[in-house]
């Protein structure tokens, strides 16, 4: 009790800092869907509701917000484990399976007693997961079928019980139907206490058994071999998961609770590779989503809380999906594009080298026509490639852009690529016994990715050979550093690339 | 408790629906049978393809499809609803694929994220425009199969959808069979797996949306999975599995109707409960794969086909 009040007080004092974040997230949400409705409400009502929310004068607001944030934290933490264990839809099945338990908990003494509902729902949820396990063990049905079966059948039982309760004189006004889509405004102080207890319990259990959870989640085989109680950990996780789902029911509703488990954790999964960081991020996202849902559903007269929380979590996921530094698709696209461009440049340099090699490195620079002929493409295309080379400082263009002269850097890279290509061809013919006319395509791909270390070892292995399987010279270190130079621009004494 | 479970009245529960009230309850039972048949037949292929939970996802995400189609077209014409649901179904399939293929998020999490977001949008729209669309949150969950006799055109539509489902399965039996069991063989026979996949998803959306009105968004999952799962416990041959699913559909709708009359609860929920009970019976007593056989295996004569390879035959 003491701890709960303390917790409550800290959160309230810290509130302003949090709320700037919440507003930032809220602004990113697809609230345009609601635009028509909001404009009907009128600017003043909307603003007045927002002010009422942020001043916390209404105790119902405080409980709703606190409860939503607590459930966001718990669901985020536990959701991380089900996402990394690829059990996301177990969460979904579990959350639908608790419905009959909620109804029976309600029937216990015909009131929304949080403890009775908590116990009923937990038992029903665990029974559901056990039935899934039995079906998988004793029949040929696969996990997805078993999950769908249990989910829908338990939900059917729950729906029957709920309609029976609503038929009763006392049941009609009980608000037990609020469990389906969630209403944060219905969160009572007793609910908040229960939520805080479950949150604290989850944090303690995860801290105590962090190593066990980590090992059993990522490498079940090793965990068993090393004597970790994998089965016990699984059931402990299921128990905590059932707790998390049950405390979230009131605000999010049975139908969408699984999203609060999956979505924040999946967003965190896109942002980091470390489980500890993922737990922190996921709890933060859960908290943000919870607070956003509580805030937005407060703005309108008939706004359900759960769907808004879910959309908040989805907005975070969409941002992570697009912009995550390593796994986001935008960054990935940029990386792939820059790699494709680099390979294209390297191929152009190689062609320039080939042209020069074709005339024993004598004569003027390489003209666009020569390059185009060598690459079997149009002059326009060759000119575009040349421009690319110049932009990256690998070449200078002369005579109105018609002749290409390599810079020292460009020459060095061209030699490198040709050397990689020919070394690899030689390696495949000598060491892997592949016919000399079959090695070119493979070398075309690998020439762009061989590192310095690999090249050094290849050279050593091939005893510093100087000719490739087709009899052409392999540019050595000496060539790259000083040896045969590319032709110099006419009238420009002393080295290449002066005229830039 | 006495109030909760009414006294059992044989006359009211078992006789009346077939005699005096047949014009009312008969339609409900027929509708339940048609819904469960159409869903169950499509569901068989979902089970075979390990896509039961994609069915779960699509059944949730047709909700925003229906609501947005209504808000755009301002009519409840069935064609508009079908179009909305089709669009939502395809969008769901594509979104799941995109999230799963383009990021490190696994397929199960991708399914969860996709359907919950779409369903959330649907619920918000319903909560705001409920009065205009004549759909409320309760209906989304329970369906209104009990009131179906007031709108017989819905029964007609469902009948057409069920008949078309049977027609499609008969017409493309080979394609569906081969691509479900052996994608490699299907490829070598020139069957385009992508087209089969998307056609199945489209038809699933159509079936789900026509079932939506009567059983709601979630119970339809039971209608999709229960018949096929029960049938596949009893036999291994696909034609018999399909036949038994239809039998399961008939039994669960009739028994469910009686159950809902006794307990005075929503018929859609009761039909699912009845279907679940039938599944449990099959699970326990199946001659080939039942629990009894597992427990007392050696003492029972073999009456059915041998417990078979995964996926059935």
């Amino acid at each position: 009790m003491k701890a709960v009040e303390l917790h409550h007080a800290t959160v309230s004092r810290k509130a302003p800092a949090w709320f700037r974040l919440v507003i930032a997230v809220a602004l990113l949400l697809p609230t345009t869907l609601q635009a028509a409705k909001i404009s009907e409400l009128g600017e003043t009502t909307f603003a007045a509701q927002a002010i009422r929310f942020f001043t916390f004068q209404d105790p119902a607001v405080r409980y709703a917000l606190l409860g939503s944030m607590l459930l966001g934290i718990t669901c985020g933490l536990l959701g991380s484990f089900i996402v990394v264990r690829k059990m996301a839809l177990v969460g979904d099945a579990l959350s639908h399976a608790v419905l009959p338990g909620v109804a029976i908990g309600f029937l216990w003494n015909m009131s929304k007693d949080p403890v009775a509902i908590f116990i009923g729902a937990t038992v029903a949820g665990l029974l559901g997961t056990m039935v899934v396990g039995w079906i998988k063990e004793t029949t040929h049905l696969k996990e997805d079928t078993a999950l769908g079966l249990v989910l829908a059948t338990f939900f059917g039982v729950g729906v029957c019980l709920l309609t029976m309760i609503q038929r009763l004189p006392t049941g009609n006004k009980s608000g037990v139907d609020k469990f389906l889509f969630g209403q944060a405004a219905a969160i009572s102080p007793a609910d908040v206490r229960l939520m805080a207890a479950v949150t604290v319990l989850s944090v303690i259990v995860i801290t105590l058994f962090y190593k066990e959870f980590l090992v059993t989640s990522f490498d079940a085989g090793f965990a068993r071999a090393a004597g970790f109680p994998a089965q016990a950990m699984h059931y402990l996780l299921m128990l905590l998961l059932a707790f998390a789902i049950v405390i979230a029911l009131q605000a999010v509703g049975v139908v969408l609770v699984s999203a609060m488990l999956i979505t924040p954790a999946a967003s965190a999964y896109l942002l980091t590779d470390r489980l500890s960081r993922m737990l922190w991020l996921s709890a933060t996202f859960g908290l943000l989503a919870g607070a956003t849902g509580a805030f937005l559903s407060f703005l309108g007269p008939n706004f359900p809380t759960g769907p808004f929380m879910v959309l908040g979590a989805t907005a975070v996921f969409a941002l992570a999906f697009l912009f995550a530094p390593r796994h986001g698709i935008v960054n990935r696209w940029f990386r792939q594009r820059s790699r494709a461009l680099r390979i294209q440049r390297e191929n152009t340099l190689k062609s320039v080298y080939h042209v020069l090699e074709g005339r024993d490195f004598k004569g003027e620079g390489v003209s666009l026509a020569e390059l185009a002929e060598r690459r079997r493409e149009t002059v326009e295309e060759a000119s575009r490639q040349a421009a690319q080379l110049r932009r990256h400082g690998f070449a200078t263009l002369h005579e109105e852009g018609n002749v290409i002269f390599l810079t020292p850097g460009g020459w060095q890279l061209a030699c490198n690529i040709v050397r990689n290509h020919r070394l690899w061809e030689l390696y495949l013919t000598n060491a892997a016994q592949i016919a000399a006319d079959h090695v070119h395509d493979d070398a075309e791909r690998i020439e762009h990715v061989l590192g310095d270390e690999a090249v050094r070892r290849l050279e050593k292995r091939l005893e510093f050979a100087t000719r490739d399987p087709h009899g052409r010279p392999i540019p050595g270190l000496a060539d790259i550093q000083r040896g045969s130079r590319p032709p110099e621009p006419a009238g420009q004494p002393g080295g290449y690339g002066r005229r830039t | 408790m006495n109030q909760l479970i009414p006294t059992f009245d044989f006359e009211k529960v078992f006789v009346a629906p077939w005699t005096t009230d047949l014009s009312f309850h008969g339609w409900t039972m027929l509708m339940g049978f048609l819904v469960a048949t159409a869903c169950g037949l499509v569901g068989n292929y979902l089970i075979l393809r390990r896509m039961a939970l994609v069915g779960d996802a699509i059944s949730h995400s047709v909700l925003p499809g229906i609501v947005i189609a209504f808000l755009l077209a301002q009519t409840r014409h069935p064609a508009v609803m079908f179009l909305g649901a089709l669009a939502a179904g395809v969008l769901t399939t594509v979104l799941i694929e995109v999230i799963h293929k383009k990021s490190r998020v696994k397929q199960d999490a991708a399914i969860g994220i996709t359907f919950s977001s779409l369903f959330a949008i649907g619920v918000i729209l319903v909560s705001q425009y409920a009065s205009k669309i004549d759909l409320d949150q309760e209906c989304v969950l329970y369906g209104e199969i009990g009131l179906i006799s007031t709108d017989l055109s819905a029964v007609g539509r469902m009948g057409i959808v069920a008949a078309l489902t049977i027609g499609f399965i008969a017409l493309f039996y080979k394609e569906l069979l081969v691509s479900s069991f052996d994608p490699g063989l299907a490829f070598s026979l020139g069957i385009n797996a992508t087209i089969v996949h998307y056609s199945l998803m489209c038809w699933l959306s159509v079936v789900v949306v026509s079932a939506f009105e009567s059983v709601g968004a979630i119970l339809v999952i039971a209608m999709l999975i229960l018949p096929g799962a029960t049938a596949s416990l009893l036999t291994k041959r696909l034609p018999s599995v399909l036949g038994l699913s239809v039998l399961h559909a008939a039994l669960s709708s009739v028994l469910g109707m009686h159950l809902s009359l006794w307990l005075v609860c929503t018929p859609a929920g009761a039909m699912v409960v009845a279907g679940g009970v039938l599944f449990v019976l099959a699970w326990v007593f199946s001659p080939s794969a039942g629990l009894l056989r597992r427990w007392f295996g050696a003492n029972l004569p073999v009456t059915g086909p041998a417990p078979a390879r995964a996926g059935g035959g």
Side-chain angles (χ1 to χ4, degrees), chain A residues 33-34 36-37 86-89 92 96 107 134-135 137-142 144-145 147-149 151-153 155-157 159-160 162-164 166-169 177 180-181 255-256 259 262-263 266 269-270 272-273 302-304 307-308 310-311 314 317 321 327 329 332, chain B residues 3-6 47 50-53 56 60 98-99 102-106 108-109 111-113 115-117 119-121 123-124 127-129 137-138 140-142 218-219 221-222 225-226 229 232-233 236 263-266 269-270 272-273 276 279 283 289 291 294 310-311:
Chain A
L33 281 175
Q34 295 301 323
K37 192 74 192 176
K86 300 179 197 131
M87 290 181 357
L89 293 168
D92 189 34
H96 285 76
L107 285 173
W134 286 336
I135 293 178
E137 272 168 35
T138 59
T139 71
H140 63 267
L141 295 174
K142 297 289 168 298
D144 62 331
T145 309
L147 284 173
L149 244 168
L151 176 161
T153 312
F155 193 80
V157 174
V159 162
C160 282
L162 280 194
T163 46
M164 284 156 75
Q166 277 167 349
R167 177 165 53 75
L168 299 179
D177 54 323
L180 291 168
F181 290 115
V255 188
L256 289 169
I262 301 171
T263 313
Y269 187 58
L270 290 176
T272 175
D273 290 334
N302 199 13
F303 286 3
F308 277 113
V310 172
L311 288 186
T314 308
F317 177 79
F321 181 70
H327 303 292
I329 55 168
R332 215 188 265 187
Chain B
Q3 283 177 309
L4 188 70
I5 300 175
I47 295 173
R50 320 240 164 115
M51 282 170 29
L53 292 167
D56 178 14
H60 281 84
V98 165
I99 294 180
K102 296 274 171 186
S103 79
R104 65 203 303 235
V105 173
K106 304 290 179 302
D108 58 337
I111 292 176
I113 293 168
F115 86 72
S116 59
S117 316
F119 193 67
I121 293 174
V123 172
I124 291 174
S127 73
Q128 292 312 299
Y129 301 101
Q137 299 185 3
E138 308 263 303
V140 169
L141 289 169
Y142 310 147
I218 298 164
L219 294 175
I221 304 160
I225 300 175
L226 276 173
S232 75
L233 289 180
K236 295 291 161 200
L263 296 177
V264 196
C265 62
T266 167
V272 170
V273 174
F279 171 80
W283 186 18
L291 286 179
R294 270 180 97 82

